[in-house]
């Protein structure tokens, strides 16, 4: 299903995600991926598992004018927000609602592909990479980032503990799943099996921050897939959850702002 860049569908979850989590986490990682694998002028670019289009927007912000720019995601709500944000910024892009394992493109359609913080959730990782390689031109580059283990990511560790305590074990598990694929050699093996070459996997830490930790807690924890469960709590219970999250950051919370390392494996390879 294709969605053009004029879509005006509104989705509150996706909008919360985009307004709170993208500037703090996903925009910096998008910039890092583009820095490591710069797109060429006039290239054909795929934003895989694009979410609300953070990578797509950063590609245009970098000054590149692509020949083709396409985003794919399973979530219609995320795509609607991506399309609206791109349209508001005057960005011409194509948006497709599709599974990473079944991409709606013919062979050899893209010169470069990006995927941030999504690969760990693909059920058939080799299948998705094989499908990605099918739609890439020979020699095309890819850049992925995938969160490392929970113990290296204090923000996620504190979120998981607070949500588990106040919302339930499923909510905590949803955060831990973000860090479920942290072994560089396992990641390398998936790319190798799918036929990629020149595979490099590097541990990268970005120092991220938000000027208002409590605002971030409310927006981010309500803008995750656990947000519906959190919203069922009373305001006092929600405040207690946010307090535990901020306390769990230790020196990363100064009473107002939060500052924390966000550590991922960054993968670059060629088709």
């Amino acid at each position: 299903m294709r969605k053009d860049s004029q879509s005006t569908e509104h989705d509150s979850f996706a909008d919360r995600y985009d307004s709170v989590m993208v500037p703090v986490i996903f925009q910096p990682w998008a910039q890092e991926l583009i820095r490591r694998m710069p797109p060429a002028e006039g290239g054909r670019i795929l934003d895989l598992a694009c979410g609300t289009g953070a990578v797509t927007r950063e590609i245009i912000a970098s000054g590149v004018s692509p020949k083709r720019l396409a985003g794919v995601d399973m979530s219609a709500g995320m795509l609607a927000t991506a399309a609206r944000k791109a349209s508001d910024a005057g960005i011409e892009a194509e948006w497709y609602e599709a599974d990473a394992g079944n991409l709606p493109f013919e062979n050899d359609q893209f010169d470069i592909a990006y995927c941030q913080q999504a690969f760990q959730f693909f059920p058939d990782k080799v299948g998705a990479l094989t499908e990605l390689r099918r739609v890439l031109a020979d020699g095309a580059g890819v850049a992925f980032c995938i969160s490392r283990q929970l113990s290296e990511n204090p923000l996620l560790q504190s979120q998981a503990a607070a949500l588990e305590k106040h919302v339930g074990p499923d909510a905590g598990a949803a955060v831990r799943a973000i860090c479920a694929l942290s072994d560089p050699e396992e990641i390398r093996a998936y790319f190798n099996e799918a036929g990629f070459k020149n595979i490099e996997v590097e541990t990268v830490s970005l120092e991220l921050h938000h000027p208002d930790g409590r605002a971030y807690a409310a927006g981010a924890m309500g803008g995750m897939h656990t947000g519906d469960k959190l919203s069922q709590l009373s305001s006092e219970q929600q405040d207690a959850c946010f307090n535990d999250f901020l306390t769990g950051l230790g020196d990363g919370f100064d009473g107002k702002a939060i500052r924390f390392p966000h550590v991922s494996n960054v993968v670059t390879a060629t088709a």
Side-chain angles (χ1 to χ4, degrees), residues 28-42:
W29 278 112
Q31 293 167 344
E32 180 69 11
L33 292 183
I34 292 166
R35 184 184 72 80
R36 287 171 174 272
M37 184 70 71
E41 182 72 17

Side-chain angles (χ1 to χ4, degrees), residues 33-58:
L33 292 183
I34 292 166
R35 184 184 72 80
R36 287 171 174 272
M37 184 70 71
E41 182 72 17
R44 301 168 298 169
I45 304 171
L46 176 62
D47 185 356
L48 181 64
C50 64
T52 58
V55 171
T56 293
R57 297 196 295 270
E58 287 304 311

Side-chain angles (χ1 to χ4, degrees), residues 72-199:
V72 173
D73 202 274
M74 290 182 63
S75 167
M78 289 288 203
L79 287 168
T81 295
R84 187 176 65 253
K85 296 280 287 189
S87 179
D88 290 348
I91 297 170
E92 293 186 9
E94 307 164 17
W95 305 101
Y96 297 87
E97 184 179 344
D99 186 282
N102 186 23
L103 297 173
F105 308 113
E106 296 181 1
N107 296 351
D108 305 325
Q109 293 296 301
F110 298 99
D111 305 307
I112 195 165
Y114 301 95
C115 181
Q116 66 153 325
Q117 308 299 350
F119 183 62
Q120 57 267 53
F121 299 109
F122 293 175
D124 180 358
K125 294 172 176 58
V126 173
L129 288 174
T130 301
E131 177 70 350
L132 174 60
R133 190 166 174 269
R134 178 187 68 78
V135 306
L136 293 173
D138 287 344
V142 300
F144 283 48
C145 63
I146 307 155
S147 289
R148 282 184 60 86
Q149 58 193 5
L150 200 67
S151 62
E152 297 177 76
N153 283 287
L155 181 89
L156 296 173
Q157 189 172 32
S158 188
Q159 281 182 338
L163 287 168
E164 184 170 66
K165 176 180 176 180
H166 294 277
V167 182
D170 289 348
V175 178
R176 291 189 179 92
I178 298 169
C179 301
L181 179 61
S182 61
D183 181 358
E185 293 311 310
E186 183 181 0
I187 294 168
R188 185 187 302 274
Y190 288 135
F191 278 80
N192 186 62
E193 187 174 346
F196 282 91
K197 305 169 186 176
N198 305 311
I199 305 162

